[in-house]
Amino acid sequence: MSAVIIAPDKFKGSLTAPQVAAAVARGLREVVPDADVRLLPVADGGDGTVDAAVAAGFLKVGRWVTGPAGTPVPASFAVRGTTAVVEVASAAGLTLLEEPAPLDATSRGVGELLKAALDVGCSTIVLGLGGSACTDGGAGMLEALGGTSFGGVDLVLASDVDNPLLGPTGAAAVYGPQKGASPGQVEVLEQRLEAFAESIGPEHASRPGAGAAGGIGFAALAVLGARFRPGIEVVLELAGFAEAVADASLVITGEGSLDAQTRHGKAPYGVVRASGDVPVVAVAGQCSVEPGDLGLKAAYALLDVEPDLTRCMAQADPLLTVLGGRIARDWVSQ
């Protein structure tokens, strides 16, 4: 029997990607006990990127760092050999704040995690850029690194967004409101970013990804010599997806909401593109697009099983097990 690959992203607010994969696998095995099921949870560069690396065999390393509010927080990164995976969300994530701090949140902890990765001998560092609380252009990150040299280090920025630093599609205008910024505060943040960019490398402000994570992408591109890549592509490489899918008969992916944004750098669409001729189906909390528009053979939504959204989110684990069983009956040979 060919393998079934389960490669979902997280269901935000409900389950991590490894938890989603495990729940689907449980349901599939209840119907087809001898199925060759392989769990490869993924991420698009946001929170969950370190978890995906750990699921792929990386070792999680814990550190205390400066959180977005300037107080210590526990954070972690992942290491395998000389490669490290660091995520902004772990050190400067919006979820680490008790209340939004759009003008004051700092990226300092990200620099501290990068330095920790260098200190353990890593020469390749993947920096996942999603989920940030800050819009400081990466200034705090650079301050924490001080004079630390990135010569000889391959710093890869992994993100699902490619916004520039400034302007109507930039870090402040697009993402500032999501971090609690009022229209007036968005203007202040834009002015700060303009001044910061002018001081360290205005030519980098328009590069794809410069506006990711409140401008951390800009600082990494301008000062640290980073290169930008779509986050899901990076994570699939770390997970060995190409090798795993070579002898697979089915791939199951998913995320909390399959919608019009899924085609724009989100994990499920990246999984579809990487799966070649292998059929891909998806699980989701809700689906508001035609599965075929995403290259999917089918989509299975939790809301189709439990129409109450609150209960759906609270009971995502057992509901995903139900969907795993349905997928097994529809797609896996018995």
Side-chain angles (χ1 to χ4, degrees):
M1 181 181 295
S2 299
V4 177
I5 307 299
I6 305 181
D9 199 351
K10 62 186 176 299
F11 278 33
K12 195 168 186 177
S14 295
L15 299 172
T16 66
Q19 289 171 332
V20 173
V24 173
R26 192 163 55 245
L28 196 149
R29 288 187 173 118
E30 287 176 358
V31 176
V32 188
D34 61 344
D36 179 6
V37 181
R38 304 180 189 178
L39 277 56
L40 291 177
V42 298
D44 57 19
D47 51 316
T49 300
V50 166
D51 285 342
V54 171
F58 282 64
L59 175 68
K60 181 176 282 191
V61 179
R63 289 287 189 276
W64 282 88
V65 301
T66 303
T71 55
V73 297
S76 60
F77 60 101
V79 175
R80 184 173 65 191
T82 58
T83 298
V85 177
V86 177
E87 64 181 49
V88 167
S90 178
L94 192 59
T95 59
L96 299 176
L97 290 176
E98 293 184 3
E99 57 184 32
L103 296 181
D104 301 320
T106 177
S107 61
R108 185 176 185 86
V110 179
E112 293 168 355
L113 278 186
L114 291 175
K115 191 170 187 306
L118 293 174
D119 288 345
V120 297
C122 292
S123 55
T124 298
I125 302 177
V126 173
L127 178 59
L129 293 179
S132 74
C134 54
T135 313
D136 68 350
M141 174 185 72
L142 296 180
E143 289 172 3
L145 287 168
T148 303
S149 172
F150 266 70
V153 176
D154 183 17
L155 179 60
V156 181
L157 305 182
S159 177
D160 67 337
V161 301
D162 58 3
N163 302 63
L165 180 67
L166 305 171
T169 60
V174 175
Y175 301 107
Q178 299 176 15
K179 301 171 186 182
S182 67
Q185 289 173 323
V186 167
E187 291 185 16
V188 171
L189 291 170
E190 181 77 5
Q191 292 167 3
R192 289 181 181 178
L193 291 175
E194 286 179 356
F196 185 58
E198 191 63 33
S199 69
I200 69 169
E203 69 274 16
H204 298 282
S206 60
R207 291 177 63 182
I216 290 175
F218 164 72
L221 291 166
V223 179
L224 304 181
R227 57 191 179 97
F228 177 83
R229 292 187 61 198
I232 182 59
E233 293 182 8
V234 177
V235 173
L236 288 174
E237 286 181 9
L238 295 174
F241 184 83
E243 295 82 0
V245 80
D247 62 350
S249 58
L250 179 70
V251 175
I252 304 170
T253 188
E255 64 179 349
S257 178
L258 290 171
D259 53 36
Q261 291 301 310
T262 301
R263 287 182 65 95
H264 301 285
K266 299 297 184 181
Y269 191 60
V271 169
V272 169
R273 295 181 64 185
S275 295
D277 295 331
V278 178
V280 184
V281 301
V283 292
Q286 58 186 353
C287 180
S288 59
V289 291
E290 288 296 321
D293 292 343
L294 301 176
L296 296 166
K297 297 299 184 182
Y300 298 75
L302 299 186
L303 284 175
D304 293 339
V305 182
E306 171 50 74
D308 182 270
L309 181 59
T310 301
R311 286 199 295 268
C312 188
M313 293 185 69
Q315 300 172 16
D317 187 281
L319 291 173
L320 280 167
T321 298
V322 172
L323 294 185
R326 291 185 180 180
I327 292 170
R329 295 183 187 93
D330 292 347
W331 295 92
V332 182
S333 300
Q334 302 184 47

